[in-house]
């Protein structure tokens, strides 16, 4: 029987050195790598979705829409896959991966140059959207790719530490490497306009970048956090299950790039069975007693639901029935990625700012509301008669959740730790 995962972190200071003054000014933001990355990601959850909600309202006839140089859905996908969630991913990995590998914590200064390139790149890209200049769009994405490469280069020796190159760090780093290829595909699209490049970029972002990363983090951290919060809990973390889930995602992504995603239903159903089984083994029901933990378990449950929907869609397509539209994709993107992000970022922010690891009533309500947003977005494609209205409702619901969440978190990243410790 597997041994419970212990929380003790040998060698980690519990109090700051007596002669170390608290950070001030920009030093606070770069006191730890998660701070600037989480701050930018939090801003992007609102900034990148306001134009999309504007577009949805325009489709409903409520107002005139924005002018897009690219198909609006493609811009929306690019923003979400490469311009929102990766900020949180880099912040988390630069904080957690050294601890997984037993090396020194990442100094906050290590995030400065990658962060500056990522932020400047997306601002430049957004400016390119406004003035509709392909060269400016490509230049912005190239700057994002430069920051991406800097962060990945920093994490490489950590992930592939001799003797400690385990499944979780190596798989996470390989996903980041795939993400760089996806960005290169988008740059090629910006310069040449080939829709195949855009399809490759979207498919890599969904299936070779974010899905593997979120599965790696969930597989690594959900049993770990559960063992710390639930009595008599034995952490269960079989490597074969993660390997299977990763293989399913890689295969689906390869088929999607070839425009053959409809043939992925056998592996999708295998992924659904494995993910739902893990939710059961990880004792989702028991987690509900601890909201900060339940947020993670409930988010992970969407992975099995999403793959079940993908599998069902593929089976129906094989029978000549075309239905569900983008419902499976948004079960994955909003149901899984977004709810897991809100849960994990809330937890890491609290823990690394010296605050109690407790989800207050606002955070818990926002987490539950985000599940409602995911459900509404899925239903928009299940109930085509109400498609446009449900899309608008889901978009407004997204902003209604992330607006208060961002307002709550941003000041934390700009203040020293509440317990006086460094970081």
């Amino acid at each position: 029987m597997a041994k419970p995962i212990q929380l003790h972190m040998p060698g980690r200071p519990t109090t700051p050195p007596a002669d170390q003054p608290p950070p001030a000014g920009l030093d606070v933001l770069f006191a730890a790598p998660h701070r600037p990355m989480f701050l930018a990601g939090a801003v992007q959850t609102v900034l990148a979705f306001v134009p999309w909600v504007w577009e949805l309202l325009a489709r409903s006839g409520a107002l005139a829409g924005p002018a897009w140089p690219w198909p609006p859905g493609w811009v929306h996908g690019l923003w979400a896959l490469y311009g929102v969630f990766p900020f949180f991913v880099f912040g988390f990995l630069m904080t957690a991966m050294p601890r997984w590998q037993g090396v020194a914590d990442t100094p906050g200064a290590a995030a400065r140059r990658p962060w500056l390139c990522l932020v400047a790149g997306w601002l430049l890209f957004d400016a390119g959207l406004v003035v509709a200049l392909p060269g400016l769009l490509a230049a912005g994405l190239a700057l994002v790719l430069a920051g991406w490469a800097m962060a990945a280069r920093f994490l490489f020796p950590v992930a592939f530490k001799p003797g400690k190159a385990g499944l979780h760090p190596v798989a996470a780093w390989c996903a980041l490497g795939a993400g760089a290829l996806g960005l290169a595909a988008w740059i090629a699209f910006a310069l040449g306009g080939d829709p195949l490049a855009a399809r490759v970029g979207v498919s890599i972002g969904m299936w070779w970048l974010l899905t593997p990363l979120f599965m790696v983090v969930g597989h690594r951290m959900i049993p770990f956090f559960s063992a710390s919060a639930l009595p008599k809990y034995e952490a269960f973390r079989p490597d074969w299950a993660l390997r299977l889930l990763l293989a399913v995602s890689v295969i689906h992504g390869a088929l999607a790039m070839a425009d053959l995603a409809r043939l992925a239903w056998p592996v999708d159903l295998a992924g659904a069975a494995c993910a739902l089984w893990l939710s059961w083994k990880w004792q989702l029901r028991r987690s509900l007693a601890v909201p900060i933990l339940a947020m993670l378990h409930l988010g992970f449950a969407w992975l099995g639901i999403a793959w079940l929907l993908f599998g069902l869609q593929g089976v129906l397509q094989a029978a000549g029935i075309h239905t569900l539209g983008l419902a499976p994709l948004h079960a994955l993107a909003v149901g899984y990625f977004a709810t897991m992000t809100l849960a994990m970022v809330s937890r890491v922010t609290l823990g690394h700012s010296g605050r109690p690891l407790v989800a207050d009533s606002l955070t818990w309500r926002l987490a539950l509301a985000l599940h409602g947003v995911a459900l509404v977005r899925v239903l928009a494609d299940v109930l085509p008669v109400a498609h446009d209205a449900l899309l608008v409702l889901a978009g407004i619901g997204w902003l209604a959740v992330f607006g208060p969440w961002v307002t709550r978190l941003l000041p934390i990243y700009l203040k020293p730790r509440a317990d006086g410790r460094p970081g």
Side-chain angles (χ1 to χ4, degrees):
M1 188 173 291
K3 295 181 178 179
I5 299 174
Q6 301 298 316
L7 285 176
H8 177 57
M9 296 283 188
R12 302 213 178 272
T14 57
T15 57
D19 59 348
Q20 181 173 324
L26 280 180
D27 290 339
V28 176
L29 182 60
F30 292 98
H34 75 279
R35 285 174 173 263
M37 294 296 184
F38 283 8
L39 181 144
V43 170
Q44 283 285 80
T45 61
V46 175
L47 185 63
F49 278 80
V50 167
W52 181 241
V53 173
W54 181 11
E55 167 70 19
L56 295 178
L57 288 168
R59 292 181 186 182
S60 71
L63 68 165
W68 300 89
W70 292 352
W74 293 9
V75 177
H76 172 60
L78 172 59
W79 267 334
L81 295 173
Y82 295 93
V84 177
F85 296 114
F87 278 109
F88 298 116
V89 167
F90 280 123
F92 179 84
L93 290 180
M94 294 182 82
T95 300
M97 191 184 288
R99 298 190 173 201
W100 296 352
Q101 299 293 77
V103 301
D105 286 346
T106 305
R112 189 183 298 265
R113 286 195 297 170
W115 182 82
L116 288 172
C117 285
L118 292 169
V119 170
W122 283 114
L123 290 175
L124 192 61
F125 175 85
D126 293 345
L129 286 178
V130 173
V131 299
L133 285 179
L136 202 56
L137 294 169
L141 292 176
L143 195 53
V144 171
L145 180 57
W148 195 288
M150 290 178 194
R153 181 182 178 185
F154 174 85
L155 288 169
F156 181 85
V158 181
F160 293 90
K161 180 184 177 184
K164 295 252 336 186
L167 175 60
H168 296 96
V170 169
W173 194 92
C174 288
L176 294 178
L181 295 177
L183 278 170
W186 276 108
I187 293 170
F189 171 72
L191 294 175
D194 185 351
L196 174 61
R199 187 172 75 220
V200 168
V202 168
S203 299
I204 288 178
M206 179 64 70
W207 296 106
W208 288 8
L209 172 65
L210 291 185
T211 302
L213 280 167
F214 276 83
M215 292 189 305
V216 165
V217 172
H219 185 266
R220 176 84 187 197
M221 304 310 298
I222 291 177
F224 179 82
F225 291 145
S226 299
S228 71
L230 301 177
K232 298 181 180 179
Y233 183 96
E234 285 204 4
F236 181 74
R237 198 166 58 193
D239 281 357
W240 67 262
L242 179 57
R243 293 180 191 277
L244 187 152
L245 293 174
L246 292 171
V248 169
S249 194
V250 169
I251 293 169
H252 189 115
L255 290 171
M257 279 180 258
D259 200 21
L260 296 171
R262 63 188 180 279
L263 303 180
W265 64 265
V267 295
D268 293 338
L269 292 177
C274 184
L276 293 171
W277 175 73
L278 281 176
S279 284
W280 173 68
K281 290 292 291 185
W282 288 343
Q283 304 178 39
L284 183 154
R285 184 178 176 182
R286 285 188 67 197
S287 77
L288 298 177
V290 185
I292 194 74
L293 178 64
M295 289 160 58
L296 293 169
H297 281 263
L298 291 171
F300 183 83
W302 275 100
L303 176 64
I305 295 169
W307 262 332
L308 191 60
L309 290 174
F310 274 113
L312 176 61
Q313 186 177 54
V315 170
L316 291 173
Q317 285 181 332
I321 302 171
H322 298 274
T323 186
L324 296 183
L326 297 178
L329 184 146
H330 285 95
L332 189 66
V334 184
Y336 183 43
F337 298 162
T339 62
M340 282 289 288
T341 294
L342 189 148
M344 187 66 73
V345 171
S346 296
R347 184 184 182 99
V348 172
T349 298
L350 291 172
H352 286 264
S353 63
R355 289 167 171 79
L357 278 175
V358 178
D360 62 16
S361 60
L362 175 62
T363 303
W364 178 234
R365 288 197 301 268
L366 291 175
L368 294 178
L370 187 55
H371 288 281
V373 171
L375 181 59
V376 169
R377 181 57 190 86
V378 169
L379 289 176
D381 283 294
V382 176
L383 304 173
V385 67
H387 179 74
D388 290 346
L390 290 175
L391 281 184
V392 170
L393 181 60
I396 293 173
W398 175 283
L399 295 179
V401 167
F402 280 104
W405 185 71
V406 170
T407 301
R408 171 68 63 87
L409 292 189
L410 291 191
I412 297 177
Y413 304 132
L414 300 173
K415 296 178 181 178
R417 286 180 59 120
D419 58 5
R421 291 175 56 184

